[in-house]
Amino acid sequence: MKEEKYILVTGGAGYIGSHTVVALIENNYTPIIVDDFRNAQRSVIPRLEQLTGTKLSVYDFAIHNQQQLINLFQKYAFAGVIHFAADKAVGESVVNPLKYFKNNLGGLISLLEVMTQFGKQNLVFSSSCTVYGTPDDVPVTEETPTKQPESPYGYTKLINEQMIHQVQEAHPDLNVALLRYFNPIGAHESGLIGETPQGIPNNLLPYITQTAAGKREFLTVYGNDYATPDGSCVRDYIHVMDLADAHVAALNYLSSQHVGEDVFNLGTGNGTSVLEMIGYFDEVSGLSLPFKIGHRRLGDVPEIYANTEKATSLLGWKAKRTVKEAIRNAWNYEQLMREKQ
């Protein structure tokens, strides 16, 4: 009988969290999900169970509830914690920054207090390329200076990283990998799980697929006058399953040695513009997506993409899937979900 390697996954029913749960199970870890379903659908749990053939342990509470967290740490000897639970919409954070400060900062404080109470722990933290602000040069490396982010969401990620750094210095037995995501897109190839935003999508690809499915009248491209090749914003779009695999690689890295604290960029190393994404969708789907050019959006950086050599060198990880593959998987997920409604 194999020894259980329990991993606490906060926000494990969300978009990136749910795909990471699949990757964990495929790599012989046992995920324990904590999610209050503020940014996730409860229906994702039975779909995850169908996909993995595994009965999942799911706890429905917010990580601000320390007593509930303590109960879990007493019940399970966690080999690691992956912390996803946070509000994540750049535009919403500009309109309602206090919501982001309360949830994203308060949630991490609660988690760290419990983790340090229980001694030696491995933490994989869900950070963001927004901590680089508007970089002076691209691609960005882990040595690229962090800047004042363009949005309250990005600001919470930067403060989260600084909090973790200072807590780790005070508690050297805390072992941390800070993963700076670029732009996750796509869905699992089965079509059983994918990105299902609450309300109007804030991210590009689900807005594209919802527009193609007739849920939205047209897509708005926020600005075509940036200093980029076609005037639209450029991002590093990474397939969500590649991102999920990186979390497993980070866990393995932390488990194999005492790292202290380390940081990794997770992207493809290539930039793709918004207008290129629309063209790729048309190519993959055989449709012609309706879109209009709008004004620039507050909080948007003109161009950013990653140098991922460090993740390849130390984690043994590299993005394998293409942007077109991610678009194809996301469109498949949108169509399958529409058929089930």
Side-chain angles (χ1 to χ4, degrees):
M1 184 175 180
K2 74 180 180 71
E3 180 184 357
E4 297 282 2
K5 294 185 290 184
Y6 295 109
I7 305 297
L8 175 61
V9 187
T10 73
Y15 174 43
I16 302 172
S18 61
H19 290 78
T20 300
V21 164
V22 174
L24 286 169
I25 292 171
E26 290 176 345
N27 286 273
N28 299 314
Y29 286 104
T30 302
I32 307 298
I33 297 172
V34 171
D35 205 305
D36 65 357
F37 296 92
R38 62 190 291 165
N39 287 320
Q41 296 183 329
R42 295 181 189 277
S43 61
V44 77
I45 300 301
R47 285 186 267 128
L48 276 173
E49 292 178 335
Q50 177 186 346
L51 178 57
T52 62
T54 302
K55 179 64 178 175
L56 295 171
S57 297
V58 183
Y59 295 85
D60 185 350
F61 66 87
I63 58 171
H64 297 72
N65 188 327
Q66 282 199 344
Q67 188 54 56
Q68 294 269 42
L69 277 178
I70 289 169
N71 292 345
L72 282 187
F73 276 80
Q74 290 173 335
K75 183 174 182 179
Y76 301 100
F78 289 118
V81 176
I82 304 180
H83 179 44
F84 293 109
D87 290 319
K88 60 178 184 178
V90 169
E92 182 191 43
S93 77
V94 173
V95 176
N96 192 359
L98 287 174
K99 175 185 177 184
Y100 280 69
F101 300 154
K102 181 178 181 180
N103 192 44
N104 295 8
L105 303 183
L108 178 61
I109 291 170
S110 176
L111 178 63
L112 287 173
E113 285 181 339
V114 175
M115 290 181 70
T116 53
Q117 177 182 331
F118 280 82
K120 187 179 186 310
Q121 299 286 339
N122 293 324
L123 172 64
V124 178
F125 177 67
S126 167
S127 191
S128 167
C129 66
T130 56
V131 301
Y132 295 116
T134 301
D136 295 328
D137 298 294
V138 290
V140 297
T141 73
E142 291 81 0
E143 301 303 316
T144 298
T146 58
K147 292 184 177 182
Q148 177 69 28
E150 299 290 335
S151 69
Y153 162 75
Y155 181 68
T156 65
K157 289 298 185 183
L158 180 59
I159 296 299
N160 282 162
E161 285 196 9
Q162 293 170 345
M163 286 166 50
I164 290 170
H165 175 72
Q166 293 179 11
V167 171
Q168 197 282 325
E169 285 191 327
H171 298 270
D173 55 352
L174 186 64
N175 215 17
V176 183
L178 305 175
L179 305 186
R180 292 173 178 167
Y181 309 163
F182 281 67
N183 288 70
I185 59 171
H188 191 272
E189 62 181 6
S190 67
L192 285 172
I193 57 172
E195 187 171 11
T196 308
Q198 306 283 358
I200 299 174
N202 286 282
N203 295 331
L204 176 62
L205 189 51
Y207 208 113
I208 285 176
T209 59
Q210 288 192 10
T211 301
K215 295 179 182 178
R216 312 288 167 195
E217 184 180 357
F218 58 86
L219 171 74
T220 299
V221 176
Y222 293 105
N224 67 342
D225 57 352
Y226 288 100
T228 59
D230 62 17
S232 64
C233 288
V234 171
R235 297 289 182 268
D236 189 338
Y237 295 100
I238 176 173
H239 196 295
V240 67
M241 285 308 303
D242 278 333
L243 195 57
D245 291 339
H247 289 79
V248 175
L251 270 179
N252 293 339
Y253 176 63
L254 295 180
S255 299
S256 66
Q257 58 193 294
H258 183 69
V259 174
E261 178 191 344
D262 215 339
V263 58
F264 299 94
N265 287 337
L266 299 181
T268 66
N270 299 303
T272 304
S273 76
V274 175
L275 291 175
E276 283 178 320
M277 286 287 286
I278 293 171
Y280 290 156
F281 178 81
D282 289 354
E283 179 183 335
V284 166
S285 67
L287 303 174
S288 181
L289 190 78
F291 70 92
K292 295 182 179 180
I293 304 298
H295 297 293
R296 293 186 181 190
R297 183 172 57 179
L298 286 174
D300 277 344
V301 173
E303 181 177 29
I304 188 167
Y305 55 96
N307 177 309
T308 60
E309 292 176 1
K310 184 178 178 182
T312 301
S313 173
L314 295 185
L315 303 183
W317 171 90
K318 188 176 181 62
K320 300 174 183 177
R321 299 162 178 89
T322 66
V323 169
K324 289 182 182 179
E325 188 175 350
I327 291 172
R328 185 176 297 108
N329 293 154
W331 180 228
N332 178 51
Y333 173 72
E334 178 68 43
Q335 291 175 300
L336 289 174
M337 289 303 100
R338 182 172 50 171
E339 290 173 3
K340 293 180 180 180
Q341 292 175 352

